[in-house]
Amino acid sequence: MRYTDIFKKSSNLLTLLGSAALLVSACAEQPKETQSTLASAKPNILIIMADDMGYSDIGSYGSEIATPNLDEIADKGIRFRQFYNAARCCPTRASLLTGLYPHEAGIGAMVTSLNSEPEPGPYQGFLNDSSMTIAEALGEAGYATYMSGKWHVGEKPEHWPLQRGFERYFGLISGGSSYFEIIKVQPRIRQMALDDQPWAPPADNFYMTDAFSNYAVDFLDNHFQQKKEQPFLMYLAYTAPHWPLHALPEDIQKYEGKYDLGWDSLRTVRYQKMLDLGIIDSTYALSPREEDVEAWEDAENKEDWAKRMAVYAAIIDRMDQGIGKVFNTLKQNDAWENTLILFLSDNGGCVEEISGRKLNDPTVEIGYPGSYVAYQKPWAIASNTPFRRYKQWTNEGGIATPFIAHWPAGIKTKGIVNDYAHVIDIMATCLDVAGTNYPQTYQGRPIKPLQGESLKPVFTGGTLDQERALYWEHFGHQALRKGKWKIVTNASDNQWSLYDMEKDPTELQDVSSEYVDVTESLASEYQNWAQEVGVRE
């Protein structure tokens, strides 16, 4: 059985290529006054988020995986070398949607399940009423607001996207799920929705990544037919490449045998490509293999291990194909030039191992319906090349993400940005380019002050504040970045390490004993923040 896209639309390739060529020509020949009009009009905004994808997992950041559509906007836009998320799925989504730290938005840890009683305050597990979402803010500014994909910031219907400012929604309310069906086995029961109603996928020929891509296209097609003069926000939040490892046969076949070289060699190859691309420089030493990960040459079941990474690559490949469909929709509707596109991942590569035979039939080949596995720590470390650690941790491997910004009418520079920034900055950036302000109240209730800062200065060759402090806490893993200094501690030892991020951006040399005053000063600053936002003792 082939698991193809049930929403796939047929098109004439020659016509599409011809239209694209005419569009490129038309854009190139625009008179200056037309270009000026584009730049002054409110831009459309497209935010794309990958799920559990490591720093080096797309082509423009060092990967061998085919991601031509993301590579296109990376080549013609800007790429951040030091962009940060919040270390895990739902906290990052909370920060992206609100411009606040996760604790301030009510998701300091994880989403509360449908059957659980929420803990009031920073760890309640759904977006609180003292936050305002980017959809609510842009809706007030005259934007049409759409979302397709993973929500994961509120399980109960009163916390779903249409209750937080989105006009249309399709996607997965919950966290990671099978790509072929909705899981109905405890404790991983999942829920999908269309707008504000539960939605169930068909029994056959369903693949979640394609469904997200195609609903995004459908929403945009309808927008261009009915509201073309109105700017839009589209938030496209994939589950790809989050476990389980599920992909379509034609995509898996592209990567069969490619990972027989193993994780050690893959890290070396990616590291060299990253240097060649300039996404890192010589200060980024390649971190050593984790002590509890064996050398590839000593690994057993190499065929099984290689297949896992091949399927992981196929998942990313299919996501990029879907992104290409969305890009083509923009181009075909003359919206490409004045759409700000932002791409990032919610955390670093994931080391989680999936347990539970009820979900996994060991007789089924990895990647296909009935299988339910993850790629695990050795490949996650390769995904996070050149950094240490992974999802959930606050070392760079857990919080560093690719970040691409593309906007022909508004971004006047190209290349790699070295300034550091954070997912809390996305809300501020979108409000800035939309020409609207963040309010003090919303619907009669006070909301918390915006924490992020606009990235717009770098769009025209300027710089960002590189002395501001950024903070992290997730399940006891903690960090603060301020200027060149970063302090990090983890839940097990509660001892601060200090790193000079200008000389040692891969965090290999703890200099806390050499700079005791710096460490103590930053630790005190962190404690003040932690107390302010309600981090658990």
Side-chain angles (χ1 to χ4, degrees), residues 160-426:
W160 288 6
L162 266 62
Q163 311 308 315
R164 296 309 306 248
F166 288 97
E167 297 174 32
R168 298 297 313 275
Y169 171 72
F170 169 80
L172 179 68
I173 294 295
S174 318
S177 175
S178 167
Y179 289 73
F180 299 115
E181 60 185 345
I182 285 298
I183 299 168
K184 299 179 181 178
V185 177
Q186 290 282 9
R188 296 195 177 100
I189 294 177
R190 300 299 190 228
Q191 175 67 62
M192 294 189 74
L194 176 58
D195 294 327
D196 58 358
Q197 296 298 315
W199 185 90
D204 297 317
N205 296 331
F206 174 80
Y207 187 69
M208 190 168 290
T209 301
D210 284 346
F212 292 162
S213 300
N214 285 293
Y215 264 97
V217 168
D218 287 346
F219 289 160
L220 291 178
D221 279 340
N222 289 332
H223 175 87
F224 291 126
Q225 291 170 15
Q226 301 173 14
K227 304 179 180 180
K228 189 172 179 65
E229 301 307 313
Q230 185 179 4
F232 67 79
L233 164 70
M234 167 61 74
Y235 174 35
L236 176 53
Y238 287 100
T239 52
H242 191 293
W243 52 259
L245 297 175
H246 285 162
L248 299 179
E250 58 266 37
D251 297 325
I252 296 173
Q253 290 168 7
K254 297 179 188 179
Y255 296 95
E256 293 283 7
K258 283 206 170 193
Y259 296 100
D260 293 347
L261 77 168
W263 43 74
D264 293 322
S265 294
L266 182 63
R267 292 183 77 224
T268 301
V269 170
R270 285 193 178 185
Y271 178 71
Q272 185 58 55
K273 183 179 178 182
M274 296 169 85
L275 288 170
D276 294 342
L277 290 170
I279 199 64
I280 62 172
D281 58 31
S282 60
T283 63
Y284 286 71
L286 179 61
S287 61
R289 186 192 327 112
E290 300 275 339
E291 292 181 359
D292 59 346
V293 174
E294 62 186 344
W296 174 256
E297 62 184 19
D298 298 327
E300 298 180 358
N301 302 318
K302 287 185 174 64
E303 183 177 351
D304 177 271
W305 278 114
K307 182 61 178 286
R308 290 175 186 242
M309 188 63 193
V311 176
Y312 179 85
I315 297 172
I316 294 175
D317 187 311
R318 176 61 59 157
M319 176 182 70
D320 186 82
Q321 293 176 49
I323 290 169
K325 294 179 184 179
V326 178
F327 288 178
N328 285 336
T329 302
L330 299 177
K331 293 172 182 177
Q332 291 164 2
N333 288 279
D334 299 328
W336 182 250
E337 293 292 305
N338 201 32
T339 297
L340 170 62
I341 303 171
L342 304 174
F343 172 83
L344 73 159
S345 178
D346 62 355
N347 48 249
C350 175
V351 302
E352 293 165 1
E353 299 183 17
I354 307 173
S355 59
R357 287 295 181 187
K358 289 182 180 179
L359 293 172
N360 187 43
D361 182 348
T363 67
V364 174
E365 187 178 357
I366 292 172
Y368 295 86
S371 67
Y372 205 92
V373 300
Y375 76 158
Q376 299 184 11
K377 185 180 287 187
W379 292 122
I381 294 169
S383 286
N384 295 335
T385 303
F387 299 121
R388 298 172 55 223
R389 304 300 189 192
Y390 17 77
K391 174 182 177 180
Q392 186 174 330
W393 292 68
T394 54
N395 294 95
E396 297 291 287
I399 61 176
T401 173
F403 186 80
I404 302 169
H406 179 271
W407 178 22
I411 295 179
K412 302 305 181 184
T413 186
K414 289 174 59 176
I416 295 169
V417 175
N418 197 48
D419 292 359
Y420 66 80
H422 191 282
V423 65
I424 57 174
D425 299 329
I426 289 177

